[in-house]
């Protein structure tokens, strides 16, 4: 009986070790997303700037029409912790009534912002905060906000309600056959709230209105998105 009891304890310990390894220490998506995000930052250093308004950092598109912003201190970010800020004009010209936008949107100075609040943490760092270190905080504390888009071989930050910022796992080997999606970075908007606020999606200039294949309940499904893709190299 003693031997059997000891064997049960050993098996339980081994299962615990395996579970911890699979669940935490070998978070391949989380860890590799950090490496690839660093590559993106290094590819366009002139487009990465401090954003004092949102207590963090921003990565601007090459044409300056949209920015991905992520906070370095969630206790100081006024509205969202991760967000997109983009020119309102293409959507206004396509029929947008700003007063009909949902609460996760803000409109100001001819700009629109959409994003989500991750928490209210006062984040701490070893040394001064950096753009990459601020991203690492998302991976470490809000891992569920980081995703992997299998169809495009992209990582992404979930900005809530179907909005995303995506980047290529490897800028040299993007594998999509869709030229509008096979890019190093892609700013992604859920069109539904914008359409509900009066936007005619076929009249939005500068954004691609198309279907993207995503996994829903384990099944590949085509959903409509507004995309603004860019190559950096």
């Amino acid at each position: 009986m003693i031997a059997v009891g000891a064997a049960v304890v050993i098996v339980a310990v081994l299962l615990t070790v395996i579970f911890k390894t699979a669940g935490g220490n070998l978070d391949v998506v989380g860890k590799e997303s950090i490496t690839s995000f660093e590559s993106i930052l290094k590819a366009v250093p002139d487009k990465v700037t401090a954003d004092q308004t949102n207590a963090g950092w921003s990565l601007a598109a090459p044409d300056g029409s949209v920015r991905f912003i992520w906070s370095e201190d969630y206790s100081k970010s006024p509205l969202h912790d991760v967000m997109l800020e983009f020119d309102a004009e293409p959507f206004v010209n396509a029929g947008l009534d700003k007063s009909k936008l949902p609460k996760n949107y803000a409109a100001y100075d001819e700009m629109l912002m959409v994003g989500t609040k991750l928490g209210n943490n006062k984040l701490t760092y070893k040394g001064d905060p950096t753009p990459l270190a601020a991203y690492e905080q998302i991976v470490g504390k809000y891992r569920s906000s980081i995703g992997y888009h299998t169809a495009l071989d992209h990582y992404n930050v979930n900005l809530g309600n179907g909005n995303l910022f995506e980047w290529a796992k490897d800028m040299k080997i993007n594998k999509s056959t869709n030229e509008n999606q096979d890019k190093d970075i892609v700013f992604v908007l859920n069109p539904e709230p914008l359409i509900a606020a009066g936007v005619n999606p076929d009249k939005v200039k500068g954004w691609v209105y198309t279907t993207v294949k995503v996994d829903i309940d384990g099944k590949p499904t085509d959903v409509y998105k507004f995309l603004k893709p860019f190559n950096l190299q």
Side-chain angles (χ1 to χ4, degrees):
M1 292 295 293
I2 295 177
V4 173
V8 170
V9 171
I10 292 171
V11 170
V13 170
L14 288 174
L15 287 174
T16 301
V17 171
I18 292 171
F19 175 79
K20 288 183 177 180
T21 301
N25 295 337
L26 290 182
D27 177 11
V28 175
V29 169
K31 290 182 178 180
E32 290 190 353
S33 77
I34 295 172
T35 302
S36 66
F37 190 69
E38 183 178 21
S39 296
I40 295 294
L41 297 178
K42 288 181 176 179
V44 284
D46 59 320
K47 300 298 181 183
V48 181
T49 59
D51 187 301
Q52 295 182 350
T53 301
N54 296 289
W57 304 91
S58 76
L59 170 61
D63 67 356
S65 64
V66 56
R67 298 190 299 156
F68 168 55
I69 304 169
W70 63 108
S71 175
E72 68 181 27
D73 186 343
Y74 303 158
S75 69
K76 294 182 179 178
S77 44
L79 184 60
H80 304 307
D81 297 324
V82 289
M83 65 213 87
L84 296 184
E85 181 189 66
F86 53 99
D87 291 341
E89 184 177 5
F91 297 93
V92 172
N93 290 344
L96 174 65
D97 182 345
K98 295 179 184 178
S99 68
K100 295 182 179 180
L101 288 170
K103 292 182 178 180
N104 62 325
Y105 268 87
Y108 53 89
D109 299 332
E110 308 305 320
M111 305 297 289
L112 296 176
M113 176 182 284
V114 64
T116 191
K117 190 75 178 164
L118 298 178
N120 295 299
N121 319 50
K122 178 176 175 57
L123 304 178
T124 58
Y125 296 83
K126 294 180 180 179
D128 294 332
T130 66
L132 184 62
Y135 174 75
E136 289 176 322
Q137 294 276 8
I138 304 174
V139 176
K141 293 182 170 59
Y142 295 94
R143 173 62 184 80
S144 61
S145 295
I146 307 300
Y148 178 64
H149 192 169
T150 305
L152 303 184
D153 213 14
H154 283 184
Y155 293 114
N156 61 62
V157 177
N158 185 343
L159 310 177
N161 195 35
N163 304 294
L164 303 162
F165 174 67
E166 293 203 343
W167 64 97
K169 178 180 178 180
D170 187 333
M171 287 184 281
K172 297 178 181 179
I173 56 171
N174 289 334
K175 69 181 183 180
S176 172
T177 57
N178 185 328
E179 64 179 1
N180 293 318
Q181 300 169 19
D182 180 14
K183 303 296 181 181
D184 297 331
I185 58 174
V186 186
F187 302 87
V188 184
L189 294 174
N190 176 7
E192 293 178 5
L194 293 162
I195 292 172
V199 171
N200 181 334
D202 296 321
K203 293 185 177 181
V204 177
K205 295 183 179 180
W207 290 78
V208 179
Y209 181 60
T210 187
T211 56
V212 176
K213 195 173 295 294
V214 300
D215 288 334
I216 298 179
D217 297 328
K219 297 180 181 179
T221 305
D222 289 330
V223 298
Y224 276 95
K225 299 286 185 181
F226 282 122
L227 307 178
K228 189 174 271 286
F230 295 93
N231 276 327
L232 303 181
Q233 296 180 336

